[in-house]
Amino acid sequence: AGVAIPLVTSNRINTPEVGEQVLADGCADMVSLARPLLADPDFVAKARAGRSQDINTCIACNQACLDHAFKNELATCLVNPRAGRETVLLIRPSTQRKRYAVVGAGPAGLAAATTLAGRVHEAHLYESAAQVGGQFNMAKRIPGKEEFDETLRYFRRRIETTGVRLTLGRPVSAEELAEGSYDEIVLATGVTPRDPRIEGEQEFRAAGKLISYVDLLLRGAPAGRRVAVVGAGGIGFDVSEFLVSGGHSTTLDTEAWLREWGVADPAVARGGLGKPEITPAARQVYLLQRKAAPLGKGLGKTTGWIHRAQLKMKRVEMIGGVNYERIDARGLHVSFGERHEKPTLLEVDTIVLCAGQEPQRALAEPLQAKGAKVHLIGGADVAAELDAKRAIEQGTRLAASL
């Protein structure tokens, strides 16, 4: 006999279309949303009005909701910093229309420009690349982070609906900005990868064997079969996952994902627990860091274990306490500890640098010298580990205050 109790289901129902499909397929009688309503509290109203394209989609990053909750901090949302702060982070129409320039269309610049325009200001957004997105254009290439593109879709829509004046595909100079009669200028010009300057790196670089994470993820630089990733922060972990996946993301292949994580049919296997079928890694990867602490210690509380498990599954060698001694034709020479003990050669074809970032703020000084009022946000302000949560909140807060 069938069970007559109504069934409510949840998790990753982050668009009206997914919810409708769940109901149409008879998988549940009702759907439940949590994180998507932090990302956009008007989710249901927009869906009812046929405006799903205007929904700020939850990307399941967990960085500001669950990670905060488990640390006893205020739960909010990376893509919607007003969540949980609705009474203190107020975005109101301005009583005086002003003219602003925002330079850089990464997460910080997108948040600032669209918030300014939404407050009825005239906002000009300049981006030297051919598309908006900044670091998100790299993040969305990482297995499991494909939905980051939804945030860019949302911001592109916001640019249209708020009337931001977007200029793509060329850098803007301090002279042009100074002559633009802007009341204030916001620099969201982001970061550039830091070069740790390892002895002997010039020949490897000249041969295309020493590259940055930007070269790999954004510019399509090739990587060999044996790769050393220098730097084991969030970027290093993302790059390692990209390298071992070989271009095939099981996140986009349900059957492959179920096999790899050992998720079986509960009707066949007790509790749905099956035996993982691990696909061999596309490359041998060494993930290295200077700190002797466990690798991945600084990753998000709710998702860090997944990244560590994924790399362990793919036999990535995660090594801490490393000194980068030199690079030669054979590969990367490392040692360990303060005494530089146990010299070791890692015979690699490619070295990918993920060793931090430097702020790009070259426009600040010449603009200030010309008397312009300048604000720095995002990576241009603090070039720490890439932090979209801080960038979007900072851009939104600044724009709400101007």
Side-chain angles (χ1 to χ4, degrees):
V3 178
I5 301 173
L7 175 66
V8 181
T9 192
S10 64
N11 284 353
R12 300 318 301 132
I13 302 170
N14 63 341
T15 69
E17 293 77 13
V18 171
E20 291 289 357
Q21 193 64 53
V22 169
L23 298 174
D25 291 345
C27 297
D29 301 291
M30 186 180 295
V31 297
S32 171
L33 308 180
R35 290 174 296 175
L37 297 182
L38 287 175
D40 195 331
D42 296 322
F43 182 106
V44 175
K46 289 176 180 178
R48 173 177 285 181
R51 296 174 49 222
S52 62
Q53 72 273 20
D54 293 321
I55 291 174
N56 192 1
T57 307
C58 167
I59 58 175
C61 68
N62 290 354
Q63 291 179 37
C65 54
L66 291 172
D67 280 356
H68 279 208
F70 282 119
K71 293 186 290 185
N72 201 28
E73 297 176 356
L74 176 71
T76 179
C77 181
L78 179 146
V79 301
N80 175 27
R82 291 196 67 234
R85 304 183 178 111
E86 293 85 355
T87 61
V88 292
L89 179 47
L90 303 175
I91 300 175
R92 294 169 171 162
S94 176
T95 57
Q96 181 181 2
R97 181 177 169 85
K98 292 185 177 182
R99 178 181 168 91
Y100 294 97
V102 180
V103 184
L110 289 167
T114 55
T115 302
L116 285 168
R119 297 184 59 221
V120 202
H121 289 303
E122 182 179 327
H124 294 246
L125 178 58
Y126 295 92
E127 171 55 54
S128 61
Q131 58 185 341
V132 303
Q135 302 284 332
F136 263 35
N137 287 314
M138 289 180 277
K140 70 184 185 182
R141 299 199 64 200
I142 306 303
K145 291 188 174 181
E146 291 85 0
E147 284 187 305
F148 278 49
D149 193 46
E150 282 295 307
T151 300
L152 301 186
R153 175 205 58 76
Y154 170 74
F155 274 125
R156 286 192 292 268
R157 177 65 176 167
R158 287 281 291 162
I159 287 171
E160 293 176 9
T161 58
T162 62
V164 171
R165 303 185 186 191
L166 176 64
T167 300
L168 292 173
R170 68 174 182 86
V172 61
S173 68
E175 289 72 21
E176 181 179 350
L177 290 168
E179 294 170 1
S181 300
Y182 296 110
D183 291 283
E184 299 180 40
I185 298 169
V186 179
L187 297 184
T189 40
V191 298
T192 187
R194 187 175 68 83
D195 184 353
R197 302 190 185 282
I198 304 170
E199 181 184 338
E201 69 177 42
Q202 292 80 7
E203 290 187 17
F204 235 60
R205 187 185 297 278
K209 296 181 178 181
L210 188 142
I211 58 177
S212 74
Y213 64 90
V214 177
D215 298 323
L216 179 74
L217 299 175
L218 198 59
R219 299 171 185 148
R225 302 295 297 177
R226 294 168 61 84
V227 183
V229 177
V230 174
I235 301 171
F237 268 80
D238 279 354
V239 163
S240 297
E241 291 189 44
F242 177 82
L243 290 167
V244 297
S245 72
H248 178 70
S249 173
T250 56
T251 307
L252 305 179
D253 184 341
T254 302
E255 292 303 317
W257 186 91
L258 294 173
R259 289 194 302 270
E260 192 158 81
W261 287 94
V263 181
D265 185 347
V268 177
R270 186 175 181 180
L273 184 62
K275 184 178 180 180
E277 299 176 21
I278 311 301
T279 304
R283 297 176 177 87
Q284 169 63 56
V285 173
Y286 301 93
L287 179 56
L288 313 170
Q289 73 175 21
R290 292 185 186 275
K291 295 179 182 178
L295 275 69
K297 190 176 181 179
L299 298 177
K301 196 172 185 66
T302 53
T303 55
W305 70 271
I306 302 171
H307 299 299
R308 291 188 292 269
Q310 182 76 32
L311 297 192
K312 185 177 180 180
M313 183 191 301
K314 296 294 186 178
R315 300 184 182 278
V316 171
E317 292 194 40
M318 294 180 269
I319 308 171
V322 172
N323 303 306
Y324 306 111
E325 298 292 347
R326 68 184 189 281
I327 300 170
D328 62 23
R330 295 176 294 168
L332 175 62
H333 295 259
V334 300
S335 65
F336 299 88
E338 293 182 4
R339 297 183 180 180
H340 294 247
E341 299 170 339
K342 299 180 183 177
T344 302
L345 168 64
L346 301 179
E347 297 183 40
V348 295
D349 310 303
T350 308
I351 299 171
V352 183
L353 299 178
C354 306
Q357 300 82 32
E358 303 287 348
Q360 293 196 92
R361 50 174 80 138
L363 289 171
E365 190 174 325
L367 283 171
Q368 290 166 343
K370 293 176 182 292
K373 189 169 183 179
V374 177
H375 303 273
L376 293 169
I377 60 173
D381 178 34
V382 180
E385 185 73 29
L386 298 183
D387 189 349
K389 178 179 69 174
R390 178 178 58 81
I392 292 175
E393 180 179 356
Q394 196 175 21
T396 303
R397 282 189 181 277
L398 174 65
S401 70
L402 293 177

